[in-house]
Amino acid sequence: MNLFIDTNIFIDFYRRSSADIEELQKLVEYIVRGKFALYVPDQILKEVERNRDTTISNAVTEFKNQKFELHCSVFFKHYAEYEEINAFLKGANKKHAELREKANQDIQNRGLAADKLIQDLFDKVKKIETNQQLFEAAKKRYRLGNPP
């Protein structure tokens, strides 16, 4: 069976959970066993590269902006539990920063689960190089309002 995956699907791998990534790893196994042939135009390889950093940056910014804070009325501050909760939240914020640092290292080293999956897939795809004939056909489809 022949298969095509759009850029947005590859980029969406960066938004998926570990369980989703594990399920997607099965696709690699199917390709290796010859059950699927994955075709990827070189344009998609370039688009994934361009869009990876923006997608990850958005997720990192969202994560970075999260803070563990206790918002409550003043009268709660007189209870011992209030201080316990604040100490716990301070520890959570420290772990949050540590997690962010580890993730940043994996981002820099392309060590995210999605990076590994995408690279594994791209190593096994049948690449379609853009040539003049394909370019002209795409231009014609575009002009006719019939994109691929």
Side-chain angles (χ1 to χ4, degrees):
M1 175 185 289
N2 295 330
L3 186 63
F4 170 83
I5 298 177
D6 185 63
T7 303
N8 292 323
I9 302 301
F10 284 113
I11 291 300
D12 206 33
F13 291 174
Y14 291 102
R15 298 179 188 107
R16 298 284 176 192
S17 71
S18 295
D20 291 334
I21 296 293
E22 289 171 18
E23 283 298 310
L24 290 165
Q25 189 62 40
K26 292 177 183 177
L27 177 60
V28 174
E29 295 167 19
Y30 286 130
I31 292 169
V32 168
R33 286 192 254 152
K35 295 194 179 249
F36 291 114
L38 179 60
Y39 290 88
V40 177
D42 60 353
Q43 176 68 25
I44 286 183
L45 300 174
K46 294 171 190 170
E47 287 176 356
V48 169
E49 184 63 29
R50 280 194 311 268
N51 291 314
R52 174 194 181 267
D53 292 338
T54 301
T55 302
I56 291 172
S57 177
N58 292 341
V60 167
T61 299
E62 182 180 328
F63 186 77
K64 185 179 178 180
N65 290 336
Q66 295 174 354
K67 301 282 185 236
F68 299 102
E69 299 174 322
L70 183 60
H71 300 281
C72 59
S73 295
V74 170
F75 67 85
F76 285 104
K77 294 181 181 182
H78 300 291
Y79 295 96
E81 291 85 353
Y82 178 86
E83 288 305 320
E84 288 177 36
I85 292 170
N86 265 335
F88 178 77
L89 293 175
K90 185 177 179 181
N93 281 314
K94 183 178 177 187
K95 286 293 182 189
H96 183 264
E98 290 171 10
L99 175 57
R100 212 172 54 237
E101 183 57 37
K102 284 183 179 182
N104 281 333
Q105 289 174 3
D106 281 344
I107 290 164
Q108 298 283 329
N109 299 327
R110 295 189 176 269
L112 299 173
D115 286 322
K116 294 173 184 176
L117 174 63
I118 289 171
Q119 188 58 54
D120 204 12
L121 282 169
F122 283 177
D123 288 344
K124 292 167 180 56
V125 302
K126 297 181 188 269
K127 292 181 182 132
I128 302 170
E129 300 294 328
T130 302
N131 58 37
Q132 192 62 34
Q133 181 182 1
L134 286 174
F135 182 75
E136 292 300 326
K139 255 185 4 184
K140 181 179 178 182
R141 283 192 311 273
Y142 176 77
R143 287 181 180 148
L144 292 172
N146 188 22

